[in-house]
Amino acid sequence: MIGELVVSLFILVGATFALIGSIGLVRLPDFYTRLHGPTKATTLGVGALLLASVIYFSALREGLSLHEALITLFLFMTAPVSAHLLVRAGLHHRVESRSRAPAEDHGHPDPEAPI
Amino acid sequence: MLTFALTFGFTAMGLAMLLNIVRLVKGPDTVDRVTALDTLYINTIAVLMLVGIRIGSDIFFEAALLIAMMGFVGTVALAKHIRRGSIIE
Amino acid sequence: MSGRAEASTKSGFKLFPHPVLTVVLVIVWLLLVNSIHPRMIVLGLGFGIAIPLFTRRFWPDHPRICRVGVLVRFVPVFIWDVVIANLQVAWLIVNFRRELRPTWVVVPLDITDPYAITTLANVISLTPGTVSSELGPGRRTLLVHSMDVDDPQALVDRIKRRYEAPLKEIFEC
């Protein structure tokens, strides 16, 4: 019973975060701020959903089942890398930025930078 | 309780994926579209996990893991393609 | 790079060139097959020994972790910050009336170890409203985009104090 409650809580929290990340992707003003939603909110939301799955199969079904944790770990390792590469691609393309202190002021994008 | 949570989860994830598709269609830039695709595949993993809980089977685990890996490689390849015009040098 | 790789092959054959990688591979294998049956442990050990041997040339230098104690204290701080950062970003996204103040800031780097810089960039991307964007010329600066900033200098100080200082202790002796 308590297990079911915890699983439900994790599903609610995870789905809410994933939804907020996607709302951010649509509503925020420019590309660089839009990227914040998917990298953080969505990753944590999906992480919470995977945790719900781990708890569900471990507590409510027979036997320990941890393999969803592998996906969580993988997502947490890859999300910052893909965000980093996407920002660099955006800088290279000179996608419009509405931020203060535009990147060009700091000598970026660096034309010599390797991939 | 769990049934309600799952219904909420499916609704929220469906809405989230619709919003991703909105961004995918609207653009305005290629990098925006790649970001939308990136979010879309992560949300797909979430939906697969919810389906797994719903039918009480972890048969979708491998599918979710493969989507996670292929999605990441795809995003990296697209980002490199935008930046350099080629993927493998 | 090839020089270093040759040097490491010349220094003799080692069964465990990367002991940590071996342990990680065994754990990942056990998670993947979702069982701790003894034959799976043996198979995992087989992969854990074979994969580092076959990919030895891709890992010319070891990341050196000098201060395990600092690492153990850093991880909970990091996880806490990830959760807080997500709540902040979620609040900024759903708060429709608030005007965002996105800013680019440049963080001057004190660390030089490539593994330390990689870790720092990833930590920055996962924590408070910031995404690391580009490494400056000569690996001496890191361009960071932040979603909502009052005082750019305070953000730089916070990143340096909270994340860079422990990483410097962990990776550089």
Side-chain angles (χ1 to χ4, degrees), chain A residues 17 20 23-24 27-29 32-33 36-37 39-41 44 64-67 70 76 80-81 83-84 87-88 91 97-103 106 108-110 113, chain C residues 28 31-32 34 82 86-87 89-90 92-96 100-104 106 122 125-127 129-137 141 143 145-147 149-150:
Chain A
F17 266 107
I20 288 175
I23 292 174
R27 125 174 157 80
L28 292 173
Y32 303 99
T33 42
H36 287 272
T39 47
K40 293 190 197 67
L44 192 83
L64 192 65
S65 165
L66 285 177
H67 59 351
L70 208 59
F76 268 90
V81 177
H84 184 92
V87 174
R88 288 185 53 172
L91 281 174
S97 160
R98 297 198 186 165
S99 316
R100 283 183 292 167
H106 305 302
H108 292 275
D110 178 12
Chain C
V28 166
L31 282 175
L32 200 58
N34 206 17
V82 170
N86 275 286
L87 290 174
V89 169
L92 287 176
I93 289 173
V94 294
N95 194 346
F96 278 73
L100 292 176
R101 291 158 298 175
T103 311
W104 295 97
V106 169
N122 284 356
S125 291
L126 283 174
T127 47
T130 49
V131 171
S132 69
S133 314
E134 199 173 40
L135 206 52
T141 54
L143 181 67
H145 184 265
S146 184
M147 209 173 161
V149 199
D150 265 331

Side-chain angles (χ1 to χ4, degrees), chain A residues 52-68:
Chain A
S53 173
V54 168
I55 298 169
Y56 178 76
F57 285 109
S58 302
L60 303 182
R61 304 249 141 189
E62 64 279 12
L64 192 65
S65 165
L66 285 177
H67 59 351
E68 289 89 348

Side-chain angles (χ1 to χ4, degrees), chain B residues 6-84:
Chain B
L6 280 172
T7 312
F8 176 84
F10 279 121
T11 316
M13 295 319 299
L15 204 59
M17 290 171 88
L18 273 178
L19 289 172
N20 294 342
I21 291 170
V22 167
R23 181 50 74 195
L24 187 65
V25 172
K26 235 170 87 178
D29 222 301
T30 323
V31 273
D32 284 300
R33 299 203 163 94
V34 180
T35 314
L37 270 181
D38 190 66
T39 319
L40 197 57
Y41 90 75
I42 295 179
N43 286 337
T44 312
I45 296 170
V47 172
L48 276 182
M49 283 297 123
L50 286 175
V51 173
I53 295 177
R54 177 81 171 74
I55 66 173
S57 139
D58 58 358
I59 195 164
F60 290 114
F61 164 74
E62 280 84 2
L65 191 68
L66 277 178
I67 290 176
M69 291 165 123
M70 295 299 159
F72 172 63
V73 174
T75 306
V76 170
L78 283 170
K80 274 195 85 167
H81 181 72
I82 292 168
R83 203 177 143 85
R84 279 290 175 91

